[in-house]
Amino acid sequence: MAQNQKVDVVTVGAGWTAGIIAQQLTAQGLKVVSLEQGPERRTNPDFLAPYEHDELRYQVRRDMMVDLQRETWTWRPSPKHPALPMRQYGSFNPGQGIGGAGVHWAAQNWRFYPSDFQYRTHHIERYGADKLPEGNRIQDWPLTYEELEPYYDRFEYDVGVSGKAGNIQGRQIEGGNIFEGPRQREYPLPPLPTSISGTLFADAARELGYHPFPQPAAILSQPYTDASGRERGACLLCGFCTRFGCEVDAKASANVMHIPMALATGNYEIRTGCYVFTINTDADGLATGVSYIDPTGREQRQDADIVILSGYTLSNVKILLLSRSSTHTDGVGNDHGLVGKNYTYQLGGGGSSGIIEGRRLNRFMANSCVQALIHDFNADNFDHADLDFIGGGSIGCGGGENNPISSVGGVTGPNGETWGRAWKEALRETWDSRISIGLQGESLPYDDCFLDLDPTYRDAYGFPLLRITFDWHENDYNLVRYLSTKMREIMEAMGATRIRTQEELTPYSIGPYQSTHNTGGAIMGTDPGNSVVNKYSQVWDTPNVFVTGASNFPQNAGMNPTGTVCALAYHTADAIISKYLNAPREIIP
């Protein structure tokens, strides 16, 4: 096995959290190496016209996703069922390559609610312990919204986030999300223009007494000079956001700002095509670095004082479980058997769709964030006392859908035809008049939902695949039943016809795409008995290992995770610089 020169820090992955932490640490003079399993990829020239709108390459063939011939995952709905591997992309789309999933994300940028961080305490205090669903693993985060707020603010201003504040220092502001936690100041940029569909939704929701607001977005609504000193141009509203790179760098990613800043210090190196398979440890159980397979198939070792797992949730958990030694017999971080626990996802379903007769909605001119939303039924913003569930979700309308191949899938003829003359006529008549309302709900942890190593199936290198055990629970079904009526109510107020509403949640399947918001598996908590990492993302049983990303979440909120993931990365980098380096190899108090 070849050995490389030791560095201060090695990160596994070169996406959002690796980029943020590398930018912060290299500025302090630390030598950092990132090992990325995907290819070299930059925002330019890779995404310059006309290549960036290649829907067949990016949307259909998933060019920026993990190669399922090398690595995939198995799934079963419960421990009683057999697991089978994902053979083609469905439920989620993990990215690979420099920048990770941050290159092809939708850029919907949220802060979680204060009650999300104190989830267990909040619900027990308001409703009693019996309100929590049976078999749950719900727990509080080890830090509060107030502790994380400065890091949310820093990220938003560093990259340039567009939005409208609804609560500045405790003062509610109409037009923004009045339910949000207090923020220091207004967003750095005004919100993106709302689409026609989003405007219709907002008007109808307002008439019904709800509180619509524009989608917060890590997409520039105006030219902006980011923290690197570079001025970037505003969004062109081309509509190619999700699964695509941005041709003008209006969409934030680690490739746009953090990674170039780290590289400019001369203290940062990224190696692509590298498959990390274990964290190496010494006789004391501390990490000495990682081992990986390089692009030639040769095993190599990278020693480092600090190891940071900064990949996708599923990748982080798999590496922890594979990192077995005489001091960590069940894997790094797993001395208490908690790696893989509290696996959660993102609740969809319950959507409502219809036609605005005779109205052209210009659905081809938008992006993933030009929508309006309501959070009147998200989190605990509404009284659950007489309801048979806890939690809620974000209800929104208006994102662009202009990819020619994929956007026609929801059109059917009068008798449900999906091809032929009747379908073509329906496509001509209704494509630009179709409107839909969607739900993005909370996902709670349960004893029977977890990640572990599959005993049967292996990846291209001979290592066990990660096995996902997950299905929806009664709380999810009841939540969708309740919120589906609210979405239909809004659709009717918008004047839509031919309304279709999914009133019942179907059992989870790994087949259809739902979101890439997989969370949990290496959660943070107050002590080694309830978590894998502490509030700084530091592994309890191996203090010179940090695990970043959504794998830290004890449960998932009713919003996209990326804003919170990036704020936590700033929080971790700050802790390493200001606390850990003063007492290395020790747990940060």
Side-chain angles (χ1 to χ4, degrees):
M1 180 184 293
Q3 184 171 348
N4 297 279
Q5 184 176 355
K6 184 179 179 182
V7 294
D8 297 309
V9 181
V10 61
T11 81
V12 181
W16 260 127
T17 63
I20 289 170
I21 292 173
Q23 183 259 317
Q24 300 286 305
L25 299 187
T26 56
Q28 300 297 316
L30 274 70
K31 298 287 186 181
V32 181
V33 167
S34 287
L35 302 173
E36 167 58 47
Q37 70 168 323
E40 174 82 14
R41 183 179 289 123
R42 299 284 188 242
T43 56
N44 290 318
D46 296 286
F47 305 122
L48 291 179
Y51 310 108
E52 84 288 1
H53 293 175
D54 188 341
E55 186 183 358
L56 187 62
R57 176 181 177 183
Y58 295 119
Q59 179 83 302
V60 177
R61 294 175 177 164
R62 304 293 202 272
D63 183 73
M64 286 192 280
M65 313 306 170
V66 173
D67 182 358
L68 295 184
Q69 295 182 74
R70 279 201 336 175
E71 170 100 38
T72 188
W73 307 270
T74 67
W75 167 74
R76 57 184 181 172
S78 79
K80 299 177 181 178
H81 292 80
L84 293 172
M86 177 191 279
R87 301 290 190 183
Q88 61 184 25
Y89 267 113
S91 180
F92 44 85
N93 295 322
Q96 67 171 6
I98 296 177
V103 174
H104 61 78
W105 70 314
Q108 297 181 5
N109 193 83
W110 295 100
R111 296 179 174 201
F112 286 177
Y113 284 107
S115 60
D116 290 326
F117 292 96
Q118 303 298 309
Y119 201 94
R120 183 177 183 85
T121 297
H122 171 89
H123 284 85
I124 290 176
E125 287 181 350
R126 186 169 183 185
Y127 302 111
D130 290 343
K131 190 70 172 179
L132 302 184
E134 184 179 357
N136 78 86
R137 297 182 59 87
I138 294 167
Q139 66 184 60
D140 293 345
W141 294 55
L143 77 172
T144 65
Y145 170 84
E146 289 74 20
E147 289 177 84
L148 200 58
E149 197 281 334
Y151 300 98
Y152 276 127
D153 180 82
R154 186 172 177 185
F155 173 68
E156 291 165 0
Y157 271 79
D158 275 2
V159 303
V161 173
S162 304
K164 174 61 181 173
N167 185 336
I168 297 179
Q169 299 180 21
R171 179 172 60 90
Q172 288 188 341
I173 301 171
E174 287 298 325
N177 178 13
I178 64 170
F179 300 103
E180 70 176 347
R183 57 175 63 240
Q184 298 177 39
R185 48 184 171 169
E186 183 58 85
Y187 282 97
L189 289 169
L192 291 158
T194 305
S195 65
I196 297 173
S197 301
T199 300
L200 292 172
F201 171 89
D203 291 344
R206 197 174 293 109
E207 289 174 6
L208 292 169
Y210 303 139
H211 303 84
F213 61 93
Q215 171 71 59
I219 299 176
L220 304 183
S221 60
Q222 297 175 358
Y224 187 75
T225 302
D226 64 28
S228 70
R230 175 181 167 218
E231 185 172 22
R232 293 159 36 218
C235 176
L236 302 177
L237 297 175
C238 73
F240 287 82
C241 294
T242 306
R243 301 193 184 98
F244 296 88
C246 182
E247 64 211 81
V248 295
D249 289 349
K251 182 170 71 170
S253 79
N255 281 4
V256 170
M257 191 198 91
H258 296 90
I259 287 176
M261 289 179 71
L263 290 170
T265 66
N267 295 324
Y268 188 39
E269 178 190 356
I270 303 175
R271 299 182 203 145
T272 57
C274 297
Y275 183 90
V276 177
F277 59 88
T278 193
I279 301 169
N280 302 315
T281 54
D282 61 20
D284 296 323
L286 291 167
T288 59
V290 299
S291 292
Y292 66 97
I293 300 170
D294 71 13
T296 70
R298 184 184 183 196
E299 285 193 18
Q300 299 215 33
R301 200 172 93 191
Q302 178 59 63
D303 288 347
D305 292 324
I306 300 173
V307 174
I308 300 177
L309 298 188
S310 53
Y312 186 58
T313 293
L314 303 178
S315 301
N316 287 345
V317 173
K318 180 178 178 180
I319 293 171
L320 289 172
L321 292 172
L322 286 176
S323 300
R324 303 188 177 194
S325 65
S326 59
T327 50
H328 299 293
T329 55
D330 294 316
V332 166
N334 205 28
D335 286 6
H336 287 77
L338 294 175
V339 172
K341 305 298 185 184
N342 287 60
Y343 174 71
T344 51
Y345 188 45
Q346 191 92 74
L347 178 63
S352 189
S353 63
I355 304 294
I356 306 296
E357 301 282 0
R359 181 77 182 269
R360 295 189 67 85
L361 303 176
N362 293 348
R363 296 170 64 228
F364 52 84
M365 192 66 182
N367 64 31
S368 54
C369 293
V370 292
Q371 61 177 323
L373 306 104
I374 61 169
H375 275 198
D376 297 73
F377 301 102
N378 200 0
D380 198 35
N381 297 335
F382 59 113
D383 189 3
H384 290 72
D386 297 325
L387 301 177
D388 54 2
F389 64 91
I390 60 172
S394 175
I395 297 173
C397 173
E401 189 180 356
N402 67 338
N403 304 158
I405 297 172
S406 56
S407 66
V408 300
V411 177
T412 59
N415 296 310
E417 298 93 340
T418 57
W419 66 283
R421 177 173 293 181
W423 174 75
K424 292 177 182 177
E425 289 299 326
L427 186 62
R428 293 188 187 97
E429 176 191 353
T430 68
W431 180 85
D432 200 29
S433 300
R434 291 169 56 227
I435 197 164
S436 60
I437 297 173
L439 166 69
Q440 184 161 243
E442 297 177 10
S443 182
L444 303 180
Y446 294 90
D447 291 330
D448 59 357
C449 294
F450 54 88
L451 306 170
D452 65 357
L453 296 177
D454 193 285
T456 304
Y457 295 96
R458 294 182 175 267
D459 62 26
Y461 302 105
F463 300 107
L465 296 182
L466 189 73
R467 179 171 60 181
I468 301 169
T469 303
F470 181 81
D471 201 357
W472 306 122
H473 286 68
E474 190 62 29
N475 194 83
D476 305 308
Y477 288 93
N478 293 338
L479 188 157
V480 168
R481 290 184 188 115
Y482 181 80
L483 293 189
S484 64
T485 64
K486 307 300 180 184
M487 287 184 277
R488 186 178 185 91
E489 174 189 43
I490 298 171
M491 187 67 75
E492 291 171 349
M494 293 166 67
T497 60
R498 299 188 237 179
I499 298 174
R500 296 181 179 180
T501 302
Q502 182 189 345
E503 298 177 354
E504 286 289 333
L505 181 65
T506 56
Y508 174 76
S509 168
I510 206 167
Y513 178 76
Q514 292 153 76
S515 82
T516 309
H517 305 161
N518 311 64
T519 64
I523 69 168
M524 56 171 53
T526 54
D527 62 69
N530 64 22
S531 54
V532 176
V533 301
N534 64 12
K535 65 192 293 184
Y536 304 109
S537 303
Q538 181 184 27
V539 176
W540 290 108
D541 64 33
T542 318
N544 62 337
V545 175
F546 293 77
V547 183
T548 62
S551 46
N552 292 164
F553 296 8
Q555 53 270 327
N556 202 9
M559 293 165 276
N560 304 55
T562 308
T564 300
V565 164
C566 292
L568 287 171
Y570 274 88
H571 183 249
T572 295
D574 186 40
I576 292 173
I577 293 166
S578 64
K579 301 179 189 299
Y580 178 83
L581 294 179
N582 296 327
R585 301 160 70 90
E586 301 291 337
I587 289 294
I588 302 171

